[in-house]
Amino acid sequence: MRGLPRPPQRGQAREWLGQGASIGAQHPPAAAAFRPLIELQHLERNPQALLDGRRPPNPVRFQYTLLRGRLRVARAWQRHRPTASATTAVLPAPRPAGADHGPHAPQGLLPPAPHPGGAVPPTLSGRQLPQHVAIIMDGNGRWAEAQGQLRSAGHHAGQHALRDVIYGAPEIGLPCLSVYAFSTENRARPAAEVETVLHVVSNGLDMNTEELWQRDVQLRWSGSSNDGRLPADLVDRIRRAARATRERTGLILNVCLNYGGRHELTHAARALARQAAHGGLDPDRITPRHLARHLYQPDLPDVDLLIRTSGEQRTSNFRPWQSTYAEYLFLDPLWPDIDRTHLWAAISTYATRDRRFGTTK
Ligand code: FPP
């Protein structure tokens, strides 16, 4: 091929190369093989697009290159058996369980505050630890009512419980924690309660006053940011906190706020439809990986352990895609009665589970 393709075609080429690059982020060894394959498959369907009107390549040479690409893919997958995860962790290596985190804390950041009762985490090996725990923090309202208090008191108490659990996560060596703070369905609650929950969340995200942000915690946000249902100052606050903490590696805290699993999947489907409509994606070649790339925080690993408190046994539209192969644990205590020792006990139970991802041993 002589000369560069015309600008719109260069844009198309960049998009295809980009697809190869994001596969690389998910499965680096296969990326090198996928990239030429993707480009060649596009060429196969539309050879003129990159050739700027010139003759397509010699068919023998074309088939030979295609075959070589396919062989490289097969070899790459043989060497690196895929897990059930549609996305791959890019998380820091967990710190040794039970280690003193003082010296590990990056400069200027404090280690997690110790458990008030002096509890220390059990020692589990890296292989026994989940990469990603997701929690449905349920029972704030019932906790408050049982104490003869307003439901708002339950949400405030829930925020204290969450802080303790967050401190316990890096102590045991957990790299990623997702919490369900406010769902798209929670918006149907009475306005005063919605306001309270969002107020509690907003206080929790205040980097000037919330002690959590003096620790090595990186904030992520999963949820709808453009439906106008969150106050602008809260959106601003969460974005600022995410920016300010993005270099931190002690724990990734993924706050699911204004989040709904069906919304998330719909949002991803829309993005794929848009790509297909512009000719950048063949609908017949859409795979789970294409879709996973458009979910919120796609670089986080799938959920290994999903915990719900308050004795309820349902998942309520929480991370349906990412939890497909999660282990589930339903705990009886109401969320405000939870602390880091419950997280450690849940992780110890997880360590005894036999995960097979639909295969046999
Ligand atoms: C569910 O309990 C809890 C919530 C809807 C709110 C959870 C939010 C927090 C704990 C604050 C999180 C803060 C940050 C900074 C992420 P419920 O009200 O449904 O309880 P019920 O089932 O007893 O009524």
Side-chain angles (χ1 to χ4, degrees), residues 137-142 151 155 158-159 162 181 186 189 193 197 200-201 204 255 335:
M137 308 179 287
D138 195 13
N140 291 353
R142 277 166 285 163
R151 288 175 65 83
H155 297 310
Q159 163 65 5
L162 176 59
N186 288 155
R189 292 188 179 197
E193 183 165 352
V197 174
V200 169
V201 173
V255 172
W335 176 251

Coordinates of all heavy atoms in Angstrom, one line a residue, residues 137-142 151 155 158-159 162 181 186 189 193 197 200-201 204 255 335, ligand 1:
M137 N -25.2 -2.8 51.1 CA -25.3 -2.4 52.6 C -26.7 -2.2 52.9 O -27.3 -1.1 52.7 CB -24.5 -1.0 52.7 CG -23.1 -1.1 52.1 SD -22.2 0.5 52.3 CE -23.0 1.5 51.1
D138 N -27.4 -3.2 53.4 CA -28.8 -3.2 53.6 C -29.1 -3.2 55.1 O -28.5 -3.9 55.9 CB -29.5 -4.4 52.9 CG -31.0 -4.2 52.8 OD1 -31.4 -3.1 53.0 OD2 -31.6 -5.2 52.5
G139 N -30.2 -2.5 55.5 CA -30.7 -2.6 56.8 C -30.6 -1.3 57.7 O -30.9 -1.3 58.9
N140 N -30.2 -0.2 57.0 CA -30.0 1.1 57.8 C -31.3 1.5 58.4 O -31.4 1.9 59.5 CB -29.5 2.2 56.8 CG -28.1 2.0 56.4 OD1 -27.4 1.1 56.8 ND2 -27.7 2.8 55.5
G141 N -32.4 1.4 57.6 CA -33.7 1.9 58.0 C -34.2 1.1 59.2 O -34.6 1.6 60.2
R142 N -34.1 -0.2 59.1 CA -34.6 -1.1 60.1 C -33.8 -1.0 61.4 O -34.3 -1.0 62.5 CB -34.6 -2.6 59.7 CG -35.8 -3.0 58.8 CD -35.6 -4.3 58.1 NE -34.7 -4.1 57.0 CZ -34.0 -5.1 56.3 NH1 -34.2 -6.3 56.8 NH2 -33.3 -4.8 55.3
R151 N -35.1 7.2 60.3 CA -34.3 6.4 59.3 C -33.0 7.1 59.0 O -32.0 6.4 58.7 CB -35.1 6.2 58.0 CG -36.3 5.1 58.2 CD -37.1 5.1 56.9 NE -36.3 4.5 55.8 CZ -36.1 3.2 55.6 NH1 -36.7 2.3 56.4 NH2 -35.4 2.8 54.6
H155 N -28.8 5.8 58.3 CA -27.9 6.1 57.2 C -26.6 6.7 57.7 O -25.5 6.4 57.2 CB -28.5 7.0 56.1 CG -29.7 6.4 55.5 ND1 -29.7 5.1 54.9 CD2 -31.0 6.8 55.3 CE1 -30.9 4.8 54.4 NE2 -31.7 5.8 54.7
G158 N -24.7 3.9 59.1 CA -24.2 3.1 58.0 C -22.9 3.6 57.5 O -22.0 2.9 57.1
Q159 N -22.8 5.0 57.5 CA -21.5 5.6 57.0 C -20.4 5.2 57.9 O -19.3 4.9 57.4 CB -21.8 7.1 56.8 CG -20.5 7.9 56.7 CD -19.7 7.7 55.5 OE1 -20.2 6.9 54.6 NE2 -18.6 8.2 55.4
L162 N -19.4 1.7 57.2 CA -18.6 1.6 55.9 C -17.2 2.0 56.1 O -16.3 1.4 55.6 CB -19.3 2.5 54.9 CG -18.6 2.6 53.5 CD1 -18.5 1.2 52.9 CD2 -19.3 3.5 52.6
A181 N -24.2 2.3 47.2 CA -24.6 3.4 48.1 C -26.0 4.0 47.8 O -26.7 4.4 48.7 CB -23.6 4.5 48.0
N186 N -33.6 3.4 44.3 CA -33.8 4.2 45.6 C -34.3 5.6 45.3 O -34.8 6.2 46.2 CB -32.4 4.3 46.3 CG -31.9 3.0 46.9 OD1 -30.7 2.9 47.1 ND2 -32.7 2.1 47.2
R189 N -37.8 6.6 46.6 CA -38.1 6.7 48.1 C -38.6 8.2 48.3 O -38.3 9.1 47.4 CB -36.8 6.5 48.9 CG -36.4 5.0 48.9 CD -35.3 4.7 49.8 NE -35.0 3.3 49.8 CZ -34.3 2.7 50.7 NH1 -33.8 3.3 51.8 NH2 -34.0 1.4 50.6
E193 N -35.9 11.3 52.3 CA -34.9 10.2 52.6 C -33.8 10.2 51.5 O -32.7 10.0 51.8 CB -35.6 8.8 52.6 CG -34.6 7.8 52.9 CD -35.1 6.4 53.4 OE1 -36.4 6.3 53.6 OE2 -34.3 5.5 53.5
V197 N -29.8 10.4 52.2 CA -28.8 9.4 51.8 C -27.7 10.2 51.0 O -26.5 10.0 51.2 CB -29.4 8.3 50.9 CG1 -28.3 7.4 50.4 CG2 -30.4 7.5 51.8
V200 N -25.5 12.2 53.2 CA -24.5 11.3 53.9 C -23.4 11.0 53.0 O -22.2 11.0 53.3 CB -25.2 10.0 54.5 CG1 -24.2 9.0 55.0 CG2 -26.2 10.4 55.6
V201 N -23.8 10.6 51.7 CA -22.7 10.2 50.8 C -21.8 11.4 50.5 O -20.6 11.3 50.5 CB -23.4 9.7 49.5 CG1 -22.3 9.5 48.4 CG2 -24.1 8.4 49.7
G204 N -19.4 12.0 53.1 CA -18.4 10.9 53.1 C -17.4 11.2 52.0 O -16.3 10.7 52.0
V255 N -17.6 3.3 44.4 CA -18.9 3.7 45.0 C -19.9 3.6 43.9 O -19.8 4.3 42.9 CB -18.8 5.1 45.6 CG1 -20.2 5.5 46.1 CG2 -17.9 5.1 46.8
W335 N -26.8 -3.5 58.4 CA -25.5 -2.8 58.0 C -24.9 -2.0 59.1 O -23.7 -2.2 59.3 CB -25.7 -2.0 56.7 CG -24.5 -1.3 56.3 CD1 -24.2 0.0 56.4 CD2 -23.2 -1.9 55.9 NE1 -22.9 0.3 56.0 CE2 -22.3 -0.9 55.7 CE3 -22.9 -3.2 55.6 CZ2 -21.0 -1.1 55.2 CZ3 -21.5 -3.5 55.2 CH2 -20.6 -2.4 55.0
Ligands
FPP1 C1 -29.9 0.5 52.5 O1 -30.6 0.4 53.7 C2 -28.9 1.6 52.5 C3 -28.9 2.7 51.7 C4 -29.9 2.9 50.6 C5 -27.8 3.7 51.8 C6 -26.4 3.2 52.0 C7 -25.5 4.4 52.1 C8 -24.5 4.5 53.0 C9 -24.2 3.5 54.0 C10 -23.6 5.7 52.9 C11 -22.5 5.5 52.0 C12 -21.5 6.6 51.9 C13 -20.5 6.7 51.0 C14 -19.6 7.8 51.2 C15 -20.3 5.8 50.0 P1 -32.2 0.6 53.7 O2 -32.5 2.1 53.9 O3 -32.8 0.0 52.5 O4 -32.6 -0.2 55.0 P2 -34.0 -1.0 55.2 O5 -34.0 -2.1 54.3 O6 -33.8 -1.4 56.6 O7 -35.1 0.0 55.0

